[in-house]
Amino acid sequence: MARYVGNMIEEKNRTGHIRPRRFHETAGLEDWRVVGEGACAYFRTGSFAAGAQLVRAISELPGVVDDHPDVDLRREGVTVRLIALTDDYYGLTERHIDLAGQISAIARSLALPADPSAVQTVQVTVDALSGADVVPFWRALLGYRDRAKSDEDLVDPGGRGAPFYFQRMDAPRPRRNRVHIDVWVPYDQAEARIAAALAAGGRLVSDADAPSNWVLADPEGNEACVGVAGPPEPLTGGR
């Protein structure tokens, strides 16, 4: 599973880069969870009109155009994602802490409850012996672009499709699948999600990287990873 870029950048002041743990440890951001593609919140609206009202209020926040949050409006609710995507950085900043608090305050004023358990990120990971040979094919096929000068990550320019991560293999692995799914979930939902997958016929392949990553497989051996980004407190470990 690709590591969340914000984990690898030192914290800076105010508008600087921050780690997921810094975001989660900030009081007042209980509506939000950091997953693989940034800090996300889901607000249950119950109607398209109520959701549109929330989106309009977010669009009127001072300086919001500089942070350009991704907003997904559906009939049942609104998902908001905060992430910085520049030529040399993909992650969270201090500004996102302020913006997340303001958005939560708007939702409360509109009596729209948050449901942190409803957010997740799905990523497709391809194992490749030579990323330089493989990535151009997928970039052209999908119409994606490189992420933050990365030569191993592709993202949908429209922000809708699942990102692709190309993981280097040192040697061929003919008895294992070469493509798998990464599912980033809120830190407090990982154990329940894993338990549900195991109860549905899956098996645990490895918990060597728990509590940040678990490798599971379906009954036919197709693998998937469950990952979390920066929980405020260490989890108890995998199952």
Side-chain angles (χ1 to χ4, degrees), residues 43-231:
F43 301 99
R44 297 198 177 278
T45 61
S47 72
F48 191 84
Q53 185 178 10
L54 172 61
V55 174
R56 182 169 58 252
I58 293 173
S59 73
E60 294 171 351
L61 285 171
V64 72
V65 294
D66 297 324
D67 295 298
H68 46 78
D70 293 331
V71 180
D72 186 338
L73 169 60
R74 304 297 174 102
R75 180 178 60 188
E76 301 84 3
V78 172
T79 301
V80 184
R81 181 182 75 151
L82 305 178
I83 191 91
L85 176 56
T86 66
D87 286 343
D88 59 359
Y89 181 67
Y90 190 84
L92 296 169
T93 71
E94 287 281 353
R95 292 173 61 90
H96 290 135
I97 290 178
D98 295 336
L99 182 56
Q102 293 178 67
I103 292 172
S104 287
I106 291 172
R108 286 193 298 272
S109 72
L110 297 174
L112 302 177
D115 183 359
S117 69
V119 302
Q120 69 174 23
T121 291
V122 175
Q123 171 181 273
V124 179
T125 296
V126 179
D127 294 336
L129 291 170
S130 174
D133 294 333
V134 172
V135 171
F137 167 83
W138 289 100
R139 186 191 299 118
L141 178 69
L142 297 168
Y144 277 22
R145 61 186 174 93
D146 296 333
R147 177 166 69 184
K149 287 189 176 178
S150 170
D151 59 1
E152 59 185 22
D153 294 277
L154 295 176
V155 293
D156 177 3
R160 294 179 293 273
F164 272 57
Y165 168 57
F166 297 84
Q167 183 170 260
R168 181 180 177 185
M169 288 194 308
D170 294 326
R173 295 193 305 231
R175 299 194 177 200
R176 292 183 60 186
N177 53 310
R178 297 273 297 271
V179 178
H180 71 268
I181 303 300
D182 293 329
V183 183
W184 295 84
V185 299
Y187 63 83
D188 49 358
Q189 297 295 316
E191 293 188 358
R193 185 67 66 89
I194 293 166
L198 297 179
R203 63 181 176 87
L204 178 66
V205 176
S206 174
D207 60 359
D209 294 323
S212 61
N213 185 53
W214 295 259
V215 182
L216 309 179
D218 69 15
E220 295 191 359
N222 300 300
E223 294 182 4
C225 294
V226 176
V228 299

Side-chain angles (χ1 to χ4, degrees), residues 9 17-19 24 26 29 40 49 80 93 101 113 128 131 152 162 181 192 200 202 206 222 225 235:
I9 304 294
H17 308 154
I18 64 170
R19 300 173 182 174
H24 277 311
T26 301
L29 302 185
C40 298
V80 184
T93 71
E152 59 185 22
I181 303 300
S206 174
N222 300 300
C225 294
L235 297 176

